[in-house]
Amino acid sequence: NAGVMQNPRHLVRRRGQEARLRCSPMKGHSHVYWYRQLPEEGLKFMVYLQKENIIDESGMPKERFSAEFPKEGPSILRIQQVVRGDSAAYFCASSPPNEGNEQFFGPGTRLTVL
Amino acid sequence: SQQGEEDPQALSIQEGENATMNCSYKTSINNLQWYRQNSGRGLVHLILIRSNEREKHSGRLRVTLDTSKKSSSLLITASRAADTASYFCATDNTGGFKTIFGAGTRLFVKA
């Protein structure tokens, strides 16, 4: 059973471009979480999704950021018109359907905005 | 401030010594988790302790939870150089969906 997969591992964008980060959860996991980690800081929750539903997006900036988890395919975190402050590591985690289960983390995508 | 806050922020010990890290949180929780993160890598789940548990062991790890003080501790016994990493506590709050992480404790184990 492959772990949580994220790609790309490293992404470089210029200011104003779009960044698309992908996350494939572990097999059998229907819950996906996205976190952002700024340098030298802990992880901050962004959004929690189940298949085709956003359950909690309270940690996600209202503008420029969006997330989806379609019926088929990976979860996508999309950042439009990136700015330098978006430079961070973005981690995805997945968990099985029951609430309270541990989350399994992917290796992260390091976004650098030039 | 964050729900989970680790203490100390950084810890440097000799191989073979024990390392203790603490975590405090603010609201009621369903469970508390500890994670390890090696430099530049993703997080690895270490141990989960539920709100009705007081202590849990896993190998060289011992976690305690005191819900009256809203605090938890992670003890790593007989530390090894390979334990060098950042350690995060995270809480699943009652009535919420998200897991909230602290800023982490950076542990450095000298060989």
Side-chain angles (χ1 to χ4, degrees):
Chain A
N1 188 1
V4 178
M5 315 259 296
Q6 287 188 249
N7 68 81
R9 293 293 309 277
H10 300 274
L11 182 61
V12 179
R13 285 285 177 266
R14 297 193 180 281
R15 279 178 296 171
Q17 291 184 319
E18 178 180 287
R20 276 187 183 234
L21 289 64
R22 293 176 195 76
C23 169
S24 296
M26 287 180 68
K27 189 176 179 181
H29 287 193
S30 55
H31 297 196
V32 165
Y33 310 78
W34 284 94
Y35 297 87
R36 177 165 62 180
Q37 185 179 32
L38 295 169
E40 304 299 316
E41 292 191 16
L43 282 85
K44 293 215 168 53
F45 168 82
M46 297 182 74
V47 61
Y48 164 43
L49 308 107
Q50 295 178 17
K51 285 281 187 183
E52 300 184 282
N53 279 313
I54 296 174
I55 306 302
D56 183 350
E57 57 181 348
S58 59
M60 200 151 70
K62 297 277 188 285
E63 297 178 356
R64 303 189 297 108
F65 285 73
S66 62
E68 62 176 13
F69 189 16
K71 191 176 179 182
E72 302 289 338
S75 175
I76 307 284
L77 178 67
R78 184 178 173 212
I79 311 172
Q80 295 177 291
Q81 298 175 314
V82 295
V83 300
R84 287 227 174 97
D86 297 333
S87 294
Y90 292 83
F91 289 93
C92 161
S94 72
S95 68
N98 297 325
E99 195 173 319
N101 281 325
E102 67 181 88
Q103 296 176 29
F104 293 79
F105 281 79
T109 293
R110 297 199 185 293
L111 172 66
T112 302
V113 180
L114 302 176
Chain B
S1 59
Q2 292 226 70
Q3 162 77 331
E5 297 193 359
E6 290 90 343
D7 162 53
Q9 290 187 343
L11 183 59
S12 182
I13 58 174
Q14 290 290 141
E15 207 167 28
E17 292 181 337
N18 295 342
T20 300
M21 288 160 268
N22 303 299
C23 168
S24 59
Y25 58 92
K26 293 186 170 62
T27 62
S28 296
I29 62 172
N30 287 322
N31 62 64
L32 185 144
Q33 304 149 48
W34 284 92
Y35 292 83
R36 182 181 69 213
Q37 184 182 34
N38 289 86
S39 180
R41 307 285 290 274
L43 279 87
V44 174
H45 182 268
L46 295 177
I47 200 164
L48 181 151
I49 186 165
R50 299 194 186 280
S51 59
N52 60 354
E53 296 176 309
R54 291 296 165 258
E55 188 171 313
K56 209 161 181 181
H57 296 254
S58 176
R60 293 184 296 113
L61 305 180
R62 174 175 163 251
V63 168
T64 62
L65 178 65
D66 187 337
T67 52
S68 66
K69 294 180 180 176
K70 291 188 168 57
S71 68
S72 172
S73 67
L74 170 67
L75 168 68
I76 304 174
T77 59
S79 63
R80 305 167 183 165
D83 295 330
T84 295
S86 290
Y87 291 82
F88 294 88
C89 74
T91 55
D92 281 347
N93 302 337
T94 56
F97 297 107
K98 49 182 174 263
T99 300
I100 302 176
F101 285 78
T105 292
R106 281 168 182 69
L107 174 65
F108 181 64
V109 182
K110 292 177 274 189

